[in-house]
Amino acid sequence: MNNIDFFTTGVYGTTAEEFKEKLISNHIDTFIDIRFRRAVRGSKYTFANSNRLQAILKELDINYIYIPELATPPDIIAIQKKSDKSEGTKQSERQHLDEKFISEYKKRVLDKYDLSDLLDRLERSGAKRALFFCVEANPRACHRSLVTDRLREEYIVKVKHV
């Protein structure tokens, strides 16, 4: 597991070309999508909608993995939306996750998912540079940071945000 470099990124604040360049310049070979809805609202980010995104990844010869078990269920998403609303923050501008969101996500999603299975799958596939993806620009504002924090803690891997 120490031979896989991990990365994380979001889509907010990037163009399709900038997004592709991130993947290319970081030599990403495996793309791990952990979104509940694999679509992004607004014409600016249509390239991140599942079918278009997978076409881009195929063009770049990047393996696509969708892990719905790590996606945030709607009722937990609602916790964060309520917090964002009370703070007057848009999802695209969020800087942190609500503590209740973090607690619920860990308890109901992350604690039930066996990351060793994912790591074994990545190793078997020959992955060397795997990227966790969701939409928020700031990883601390997204559940993917909770996943990668757990990887750091349990498997002593390095994770870089790009």
Side-chain angles (χ1 to χ4, degrees):
M1 282 160 245
N2 290 335
N3 60 348
I4 301 173
D5 294 324
F6 289 95
F7 298 82
T8 174
T9 200
V11 70
Y12 288 150
T14 63
T15 66
E17 288 308 312
E18 291 167 338
F19 188 78
K20 284 187 212 178
E21 183 52 36
K22 280 187 205 183
L23 301 175
I24 293 166
S25 64
N26 287 286
H27 309 285
I28 302 302
D29 60 33
T30 305
F31 189 98
I32 306 166
D33 192 341
I34 59 172
R35 298 176 291 171
F36 180 78
R37 286 185 56 241
R38 291 184 293 164
V40 183
R41 289 191 175 122
S43 60
K44 185 176 181 179
Y45 301 112
T46 57
F47 67 92
N49 293 337
S50 183
N51 291 338
R52 290 181 184 179
L53 175 62
Q54 289 181 63
I56 290 168
L57 297 173
K58 186 174 183 174
E59 170 191 319
L60 298 175
D61 197 29
I62 296 173
N63 184 33
Y64 176 82
I65 299 172
Y66 176 50
I67 305 178
E69 298 86 2
L70 287 175
T72 307
D75 60 317
I76 299 176
I77 290 171
I79 293 168
Q80 187 61 53
K81 283 186 178 183
K82 183 178 177 183
S83 175
D84 290 346
K85 186 175 181 178
S86 72
E87 293 180 8
T89 303
K90 294 180 184 175
Q91 178 185 6
S92 61
E93 297 170 0
R94 180 188 314 134
Q95 295 300 307
H96 62 88
L97 293 170
D98 181 85
E99 288 301 320
K100 186 173 181 188
F101 173 98
I102 293 169
S103 174
E104 288 298 309
Y105 182 81
K106 285 180 176 180
K107 178 174 62 177
R108 294 182 38 214
V109 178
L110 197 51
D111 290 349
K112 294 180 180 183
Y113 187 82
D114 187 352
L115 287 171
S116 68
D117 286 344
L118 172 61
L119 295 173
D120 289 344
R121 178 180 178 186
L122 292 172
E123 283 191 340
R124 284 192 311 276
S125 75
K128 298 291 181 205
R129 299 177 71 81
L131 178 134
F132 284 91
F133 173 73
C134 196
V135 297
E136 290 83 2
N138 180 344
R140 292 283 139 217
C142 179
H143 73 291
R144 71 181 185 271
S145 69
L146 304 176
V147 175
T148 56
D149 286 350
R150 180 74 53 94
L151 278 172
R152 280 186 188 113
E153 294 164 10
E154 292 185 6
Y155 299 98
I156 313 171
V157 299
K158 291 182 182 174
V159 181
K160 179 181 178 187
H161 175 68
V162 294

